[in-house]
């Protein structure tokens, strides 16, 4: 029996992996190859997807990018015994892109069969939850707090403190909500973990449940992720059958259930309070805070609402202890961060490392620059609400505070690379346009500001009083930044103002400071 | 293929009943109706309001808030093309223009034969295999001119 790994990850599926898997299955029957085809997650080297791996006595040998229609020739070439081939990559662990990483949260992603609980256990799964049940709520919260884990959704709030608040809050019932509404362009880490290692998220949520006394978990998963929805639902069902979830979690007296709820295409529902309203069946409008969701969240009950990666990071923290995690990183950014490289990128994909690498190292060395081969001109870090960074700021280390100090944000750690053909004035207009499309409409700075911003940038593009209108945009950004209820309106100024400040030549050649005078 | 059907009171009642036991059943119900009928008919809005003890205005407000729900029927296929930043960086604007030309409709419109609705989507999470698109529930990465032709042809079937 030869094991052949063909990813079910969306990167691979979007480039023909399902057809490739069918071809190999057909060959398996026709030629009696005695293949065992495993649909694994992605190893994160997206430019090589669909990347298949063959288990040989010398280890798992990868080939990619494979296209539909190639299976016959690949088998003839002897790839099932790891033979040489122009598309042979060799062992993934030896690949420079992979070897440089510290796989913590993503250690199983792409390695295991995502839907096999046995595989999950064999690779260290459920140890965190077992230990959590053993040590109890207070010790779990202490461990997570000590690890220094901060919310990976973008806000960077300490996860342990959030859990502590919910653990101490009183309520008839409590909830764990996984924010899987990963709408930021340039990000796909949540999707990859849900498709490639769904039990890891399930385990993380169950740990949060034990820590806080919550008995019900929801995964609010965006409708744009059809593969993740299917994999996650199947994994939950299998976790139930194996009593990892249910009325006796892992044989303990703990109760915990998880349900996937599919979003409906509203970007703003990635904001935690509008997500909660959406889960309740309402328009996804942002709530005023306080009360914090930790005190009055879903249906008015104490609720942990965490990003998928925050939750998925906790099983390993519990299993291996907080110290190992805390030792990684820099400053107040502890542990690892799954950086996502996208856009016009040569080596795009997911790259998990401790905090602290510089933006330049990541973009030039790891990502290898642009796919077009043209010079990098700008990178947007942190999604549609993140700042555009010029090459001159490539010495910025990947760290929450270092990015904030340069008027940017890490967000969910997505980096979108643009080459020198990008028109930054156009990107500034798009930032307003996107905000206008996705605004929930509750607060005026966002609802009206985005539309006015879009119109005003259009005037600049049309050459209508550019200096005056640029000053107006800056003023508007100021209002939005400080007057908006949530990050949608509040952070839209980041891409706009960074484009204006760092790329003044695109704004009719007049730097912002001069224009304002 | 998007399921399209005429409003049927019994079927809507069944979809509502299937989800009635859930906490916050509104979105699952609306997804169920949208999936079955290809849109959320006004009569279904009344039924949901009655079943969940809400006003029609409240249900209408929810239906119209979300991009996924539509009050009017659309094409038999829905082609979504990502227009977000990562795809822009990889040349999606040209892809989007070419698709508009190939279909003869603008974003948000449906072809005259009712076959295909063209929509913008903001991120499919395929940012490292950009530009991306989604035909009904099938995702497509590394979009190029050749793939546009194949996709449009498939959607016309």
């Amino acid at each position: 029996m030869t094991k052949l790994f063909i990813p079910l990850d969306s990167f691979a599926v979007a480039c023909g992996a399902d057809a490739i898997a069918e071809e190999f299955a057909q060959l398996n029957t026709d030629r009696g190859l005695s293949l065992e085809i495993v649909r694994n997650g992605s190893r994160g080297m997206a430019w090589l997807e669909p990347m298949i791996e063959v288990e040989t006595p010398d280890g798992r040998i990868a080939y990619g990018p494979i296209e539909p229609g190639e299976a016959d020739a690949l088998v003839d070439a002897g790839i099932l015994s790891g033979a040489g081939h122009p598309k042979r990559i060799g062992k993934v662990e030896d690949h420079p892109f992979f070897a440089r990483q510290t796989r913590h949260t993503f250690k199983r992603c792409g390695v295991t069969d995502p839907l096999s609980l046995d595989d999950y256990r064999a690779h260290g799964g459920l140890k965190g939850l077992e230990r959590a049940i053993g040590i109890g709520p207070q010790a779990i919260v202490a461990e997570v707090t000590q690890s220094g884990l901060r919310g990976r959704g973008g806000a960077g709030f300490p996860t342990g403190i959030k859990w502590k608040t919910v653990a101490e809050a009183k309520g008839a019932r409590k909830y764990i909500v996984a924010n899987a509404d990963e709408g930021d362009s340039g990000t796909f880490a949540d999707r990859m973990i849900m498709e490639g290692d769904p039990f890891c998220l399930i385990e993380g949520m169950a740990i949060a449940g034990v820590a806080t006394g919550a008995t019900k978990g929801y995964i609010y998963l965006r409708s744009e992720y059809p593969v993740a929805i299917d994999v996650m639902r199947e994994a939950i069902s299998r976790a139930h059958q194996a009593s990892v979830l249910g009325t006796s979690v892992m044989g303990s007296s703990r109760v915990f259930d998880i349900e996937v709820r599919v979003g409906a295409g509203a970007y703003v529902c990635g904001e935690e309070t509008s997500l909660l309203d959406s889960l309740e069946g309402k328009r996804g409008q942002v709530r005023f805070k306080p009360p914090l969701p930790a005190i009055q969240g879903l249906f008015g009950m104490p609720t942990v609402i965490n990003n998928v990666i925050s939750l998925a990071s906790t099983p390993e923290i519990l299993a291996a202890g907080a110290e190992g995690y805390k030792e990684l990183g820099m400053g107040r950014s502890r542990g690892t961060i799954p950086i996502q490289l996208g856009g016009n990128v040569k080596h795009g994909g997911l790259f998990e490392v401790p905090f602290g690498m510089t933006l330049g190292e990541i973009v030039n060395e790891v990502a290898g620059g642009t796919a077009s081969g043209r010079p990098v001109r700008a990178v947007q870090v942190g999604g549609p609400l993140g700042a555009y960074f010029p090459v001159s700021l490539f010495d910025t280390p990947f760290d929450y505070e270092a990015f904030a100090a340069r008027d940017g944000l890490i967000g969910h750690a997505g980096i979108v690379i643009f080459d020198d053909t990008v028109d930054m004035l156009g990107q500034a207009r798009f930032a307003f346009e996107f905000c206008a499309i996705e605004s929930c409409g509750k607060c005026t700075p966002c609802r009206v500001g985005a539309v006015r911003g879009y119109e005003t940038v259009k005037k600049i593009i049309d050459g209508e009083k550019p200096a005056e209108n640029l000053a107006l945009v800056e003023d508007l950004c100021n209002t939005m930044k400080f007057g908006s209820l949530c990050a949608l309106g509040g952070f839209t100024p980041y891409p706009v103002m960074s484009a204006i400040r760092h790329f003044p030549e695109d704004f009719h050649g007049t730097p912002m400071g001069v224009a304002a005078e | 293929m998007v399921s399209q059907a005429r409003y049927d009171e019994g079927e809507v009642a069944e979809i509502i009943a299937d989800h009635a036991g859930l906490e916050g059943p509104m979105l699952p119900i609306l997804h169920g109706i949208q999936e079955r009928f290809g849109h959320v008919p006004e009569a279904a809005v009344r039924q949901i309001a009655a079943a969940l003890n809400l006003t029609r205005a409240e249900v209408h407000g929810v239906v119209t808030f979300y991009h996924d729900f539509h009050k009017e029927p659309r094409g038999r296929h829905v082609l979504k093309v990502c227009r977000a930043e990562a795809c822009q960086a990889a040349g999606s604007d040209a892809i989007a223009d070419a698709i508009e030309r190939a279909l003869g409709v603008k974003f948000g419109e449906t072809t005259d034969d009712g076959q295909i609705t063209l929509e913008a989507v903001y991120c499919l999470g395929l940012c490292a295999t950009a530009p991306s698109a989604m035909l009904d529930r099938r995702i497509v990465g590394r979009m190029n001119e050749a793939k546009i032709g194949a996709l449009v042809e498939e959607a016309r079937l």
Side-chain angles (χ1 to χ4, degrees), chain A residues 79-334:
Chain A
I79 67 144
L80 296 180
S81 46
H85 189 277
K87 290 192 175 177
R88 188 181 193 273
I89 293 151
K91 277 193 260 187
V92 172
E93 290 75 13
D94 297 339
H95 193 285
F97 184 89
F98 202 87
R100 210 171 166 179
Q101 301 185 46
T102 304
R103 287 263 170 152
H104 180 280
T105 306
F106 281 80
K107 70 175 192 173
R108 275 176 300 263
C109 188
V111 177
T112 55
D113 176 348
L115 289 170
S116 162
L117 253 176
D118 291 340
D119 223 7
Y120 185 68
R121 276 182 207 271
H123 286 81
L126 297 178
K127 287 209 174 82
L129 178 56
E130 264 162 16
R131 176 154 175 259
I133 291 168
I135 63 178
Q138 279 185 342
I140 302 171
V141 170
E143 192 90 42
V144 173
T145 306
Q146 212 196 342
S147 75
L149 177 65
R150 292 166 69 179
R152 295 289 186 252
F157 188 82
T159 306
I161 293 177
K162 206 181 251 188
W163 288 17
K164 185 168 189 272
T165 310
V166 175
E168 289 170 356
K170 300 230 179 314
R173 54 193 192 280
K174 298 178 185 178
Y175 295 99
I176 308 297
V177 176
N179 183 343
D181 198 38
E182 187 178 44
D184 288 349
S185 175
T187 65
F188 40 79
D190 298 352
R191 177 184 64 64
M192 278 185 62
I193 203 87
M194 289 189 287
E195 293 172 356
D197 196 14
F199 293 122
C200 185
L201 174 58
I202 291 172
E203 186 179 355
M205 291 177 75
I207 292 170
V210 175
T212 57
T215 50
K216 175 90 189 190
Y218 286 102
I219 301 173
Y220 187 89
L221 219 172
R222 60 200 301 261
S223 60
E224 293 86 347
Y225 284 0
V227 178
I229 292 168
D230 292 347
V231 174
M232 213 57 243
R233 283 197 164 139
E234 178 60 27
I236 289 169
S237 145
R238 293 188 188 193
H240 257 283
Q241 282 163 20
S243 294
V244 170
L245 295 175
T247 49
S248 169
V249 173
M250 308 275 291
S252 72
S253 59
R254 306 280 177 181
V255 178
F256 195 70
D257 269 316
I258 298 177
E259 202 180 308
V260 170
R261 283 294 173 90
V262 178
Y267 172 77
V268 74
C269 289
E271 196 283 331
E272 60 179 14
T273 60
S274 58
L275 188 155
L276 294 176
D277 266 19
S278 182
L279 262 180
E280 291 181 5
K282 302 172 186 158
R283 293 163 66 88
Q285 283 188 311
V286 176
R287 297 179 183 175
F288 288 100
K289 284 194 277 195
L292 293 171
I295 312 285
Q296 280 179 48
L298 189 58
F299 301 109
M301 297 296 157
T303 303
V304 168
I305 175 159
N306 276 152
N307 172 257
V308 166
I309 300 299
S310 312
L311 288 162
S313 296
T314 59
E316 184 67 10
I317 290 171
L318 263 296
E323 280 308 311
Y325 195 77
K326 195 185 174 184
E327 276 169 21
L328 304 171
M330 70 173 277
R332 287 173 51 219
S333 306
R334 310 313 308 176

Side-chain angles (χ1 to χ4, degrees), chain A residues 11 14 46 49 175 185-186 191 218 222-223 230 261-265 278 282-284 342-344 380 417 427 430 438, chain B residues 22-24 26-27 31 61-62 65-68 84-86 88-89 122-129 137 139 141-142:
Chain A
F11 280 137
E49 293 290 0
Y175 295 99
S185 175
R191 177 184 64 64
Y218 286 102
R222 60 200 301 261
S223 60
D230 292 347
R261 283 294 173 90
V262 178
S278 182
K282 302 172 186 158
R283 293 163 66 88
N344 190 340
Q380 189 178 25
I417 300 175
Q427 295 309 120
F430 177 75
E438 299 297 340
Chain B
L22 300 177
E23 293 180 307
M26 177 76 91
L27 258 62
H31 271 302
V62 176
F65 182 85
Y66 296 96
H67 298 306
D68 284 3
E85 289 91 338
Q88 291 169 13
Y122 295 93
C123 201
L124 295 166
L126 299 169
C127 318
T129 52
R137 215 171 175 264
I139 47 177
R142 295 188 190 128

Side-chain angles (χ1 to χ4, degrees), chain A residues 355-424:
Chain A
F355 287 93
M357 270 180 97
T358 67
L359 191 53
E361 284 175 301
I362 297 163
V363 173
N364 295 323
E365 293 174 26
V366 175
T370 63
S372 61
R374 302 182 66 94
V376 175
R377 179 153 188 245
V379 297
Q380 189 178 25
V381 184
L385 308 175
Y388 287 99
F389 277 74
V391 176
S392 59
L393 292 180
F394 271 19
D395 60 338
T396 313
F398 217 79
D399 162 77
Y400 290 105
E401 280 69 36
F403 266 69
R406 289 189 160 170
D407 292 322
L409 48 109
I410 285 180
H412 190 43
I415 300 180
V416 173
I417 300 175
F418 292 81
D419 72 11
D420 61 353
T421 60
V422 65
D423 164 22
M424 297 309 295

